[in-house]
Amino acid sequence: MIPDQQGPATPSAADKFDDEQYPAYTMGRAADMLGTTQGFLRSLDEAGLITPQRSAGGHRRYSRHQLRLAARVRELVDQGTAIDAACRIITLEDQLHEARRRTTELPAGD
């Protein structure tokens, strides 16, 4: 019989599939998925837009959320926007999205 104990809350493998923030993708895989170079991803890290987690060996690991941001930057760069400007635009869009989300959560005034 298995004891009825509550252990530490450790996400199961299935939970990680749904976690937007889980760093599931290596730099090489992320670059392939985005159709870009690993240098492009490094430049997003240097610009401060994306800070990937590091594996035990020090390799960059990206989440789905980070890959969506990188894909949006790539769209802007492909349209002729400088990478620093594209990163700033994405940061501002993210801040606006968060502000709108908070606004909708506020209780309605009487």
Side-chain angles (χ1 to χ4, degrees):
M1 186 161 126
I2 300 173
D4 189 23
Q5 292 180 318
Q6 293 290 331
T10 304
S12 70
D15 292 336
K16 293 176 186 175
F17 287 118
D18 295 329
D19 186 353
E20 291 284 311
Q21 303 301 325
Y22 182 71
Y25 304 96
T26 64
M27 177 180 271
R29 180 70 180 129
D32 287 344
M33 291 171 66
L34 294 169
T36 189
T37 65
Q38 293 181 16
F40 176 79
L41 291 171
R42 277 189 220 93
S43 68
L44 299 181
D45 189 5
E46 291 167 9
L49 179 68
I50 295 174
T51 304
Q53 289 190 18
R54 299 285 182 145
S55 69
H59 300 283
R60 290 175 173 92
R61 305 281 299 190
Y62 296 89
S63 68
R64 286 187 304 185
H65 174 73
Q66 291 171 324
L67 294 184
R68 271 198 289 286
L69 293 175
R72 179 70 179 120
V73 171
R74 180 160 188 249
E75 289 174 13
L76 292 171
V77 168
D78 287 349
Q79 294 170 5
T81 305
I83 196 162
D84 288 342
C87 289
R88 183 67 180 143
I89 290 167
I90 299 305
T91 299
L92 292 170
E93 286 177 349
D94 194 43
Q95 289 172 354
L96 178 60
H97 174 74
E98 180 63 18
R100 286 181 174 162
R101 185 190 64 76
R102 287 182 183 174
T103 300
T104 59
E105 291 177 356
L106 292 175
D110 291 53

